[in-house]
Amino acid sequence: MQLNNLSNGDIIRPGDKLKISGSTGNTGTQKRPSSPKTPPAPKKQSGNTSYTVVSGDTLGHIALKTGTPQNTILRLNPGLTYASVLKIGQKLKVGGSAGNSAPRTSDVNPTNSKPLVKDNFLGRTYDSGVVRSANENKRELLSRNLPSRAAMKSMVASTARQMGVDPSLALAHSFQESSFNMNAVSPANAVGAMQVIPSAGQWAEGLVGRKLDLLNPQDNVTAGIAIIRAHQRSAPSVEMGIAYYYQGATGVKRNGMYADTKNYVASILAHQKKFG
């Protein structure tokens, strides 16, 4: 961690280069700053319709490697779920049709289906693969019988207490992010009541020690609160911890809070007073 100027709150991703020997300072290759709100663009393996699982793979990793949304991988591989344990050497379909079932209209010709999630937000346009995954997740969430906003609010508060996080802070984050709406999905593929992106969800899995399905209401809340807890433990102040959740710990440390980050922090603090 010292060799790479990393802290417990930082996210590392596939492809990041880290120093493992030598001296500290600015001479080595260091992890580039990244925001937990912005996932890496998927690398499409054009022409491939199958994928062989290798050591360390998760469903999220495979989705990023192949450029195939997680929901599509699940649909193409009957019996596979978010909770399934992947085995080294296992072959998964990542293209083609799902057995004898007819593909959905939106998969055959996406232009015939009006997107549920747009590709831009606050002046930023997101990668088409990320937006495609966001729309997959939105469609899946809309097909489920999800808890009401009041039920999600209660779930956030109770989970925060169980995980040792101030409920008013967790409620403030969820209200700011989604107004306790579990079917909320952003163009950056931030999902659910806590607006967690897949890469941040994978980090949260390490924090809680188990697999998490961000489309599952309880897992989504658990992931978001685990991230809040980690940031608050590593940050020098409550305000900085809030900023880490929005801008990313590395981004705040290197660049300070951006103007929109400052507004976000102010909003969270105001909401926290309301829920306190």
Side-chain angles (χ1 to χ4, degrees):
M1 291 171 65
Q2 291 177 343
L3 288 171
N4 296 279
N5 291 340
L6 293 173
S7 69
N8 283 328
D10 289 335
I11 296 174
I12 58 174
R13 309 180 191 278
D16 284 341
K17 295 184 182 295
L18 303 177
K19 288 187 66 177
I20 57 173
S21 63
S23 59
T24 60
N26 296 322
T27 57
T29 302
Q30 297 180 356
K31 176 179 173 290
R32 294 183 179 274
S34 59
S35 166
K37 290 281 182 180
T38 308
K43 298 179 180 179
K44 183 69 174 180
Q45 297 181 350
S46 58
N48 290 350
T49 59
S50 67
Y51 177 85
T52 302
V53 177
V54 298
S55 178
D57 268 342
T58 66
L59 186 61
H61 293 152
I62 295 170
L64 288 173
K65 289 179 182 179
T66 63
T68 306
Q70 295 184 51
N71 292 335
T72 300
I73 296 175
L74 293 177
R75 182 171 52 79
L76 290 171
N77 296 273
L80 184 69
T81 70
Y82 282 101
S84 297
V85 177
L86 300 177
K87 298 180 180 179
I88 296 175
Q90 179 179 358
K91 290 189 179 296
L92 301 177
K93 290 188 68 176
V94 294
S97 60
N100 295 324
S101 61
R104 292 174 299 182
T105 302
S106 59
D107 292 326
V108 175
N109 186 3
T111 60
N112 288 342
S113 177
K114 184 178 179 180
L116 299 170
V117 180
K118 297 181 179 180
D119 65 354
N120 60 82
F121 181 70
L122 295 178
R124 175 172 183 176
T125 301
Y126 289 84
D127 179 85
S128 60
V130 175
V131 178
R132 183 173 64 249
S133 293
N135 276 279
E136 287 272 347
N137 285 331
K138 183 71 173 182
R139 281 192 289 271
E140 175 62 25
L141 287 170
L142 289 175
S143 73
R144 298 187 182 188
N145 184 21
L146 297 173
S148 66
R149 293 179 192 243
M152 289 306 302
K153 178 181 177 182
S154 177
M155 187 184 297
V156 170
S158 62
T159 303
R161 293 188 189 95
Q162 293 169 9
M163 296 178 66
V165 173
D166 184 344
S168 68
L169 179 60
L171 288 167
H173 273 286
S174 184
F175 182 76
Q176 175 70 25
E177 294 287 345
S178 71
S179 295
F180 308 120
N181 182 9
M182 185 54 210
N183 70 25
V185 181
S186 80
N189 202 17
V191 175
M194 303 304 294
Q195 288 292 276
V196 182
I197 63 169
S199 55
Q202 290 170 9
W203 177 46
E205 289 179 346
L207 296 174
V208 301
R210 68 176 179 86
K211 293 289 185 182
L212 294 169
D213 174 6
L214 296 180
L215 302 185
N216 174 281
Q218 182 60 70
D219 280 2
N220 187 277
V221 170
T222 297
I225 292 176
I227 293 170
I228 292 171
R229 181 176 64 183
H231 285 326
Q232 287 297 328
R233 286 177 174 177
S234 65
S237 67
V238 172
E239 291 78 7
M240 289 291 282
I242 294 170
Y244 289 178
Y245 192 90
Y246 180 79
Q247 187 180 325
T250 302
V252 173
K253 291 172 187 175
R254 293 193 176 183
N255 305 311
M257 293 188 204
Y258 297 132
D260 57 330
T261 303
K262 293 178 180 178
N263 291 334
Y264 180 87
V265 172
S267 293
I268 294 294
L269 293 175
H271 296 325
Q272 189 176 8
K273 289 181 180 179
K274 178 174 63 177
F275 293 118

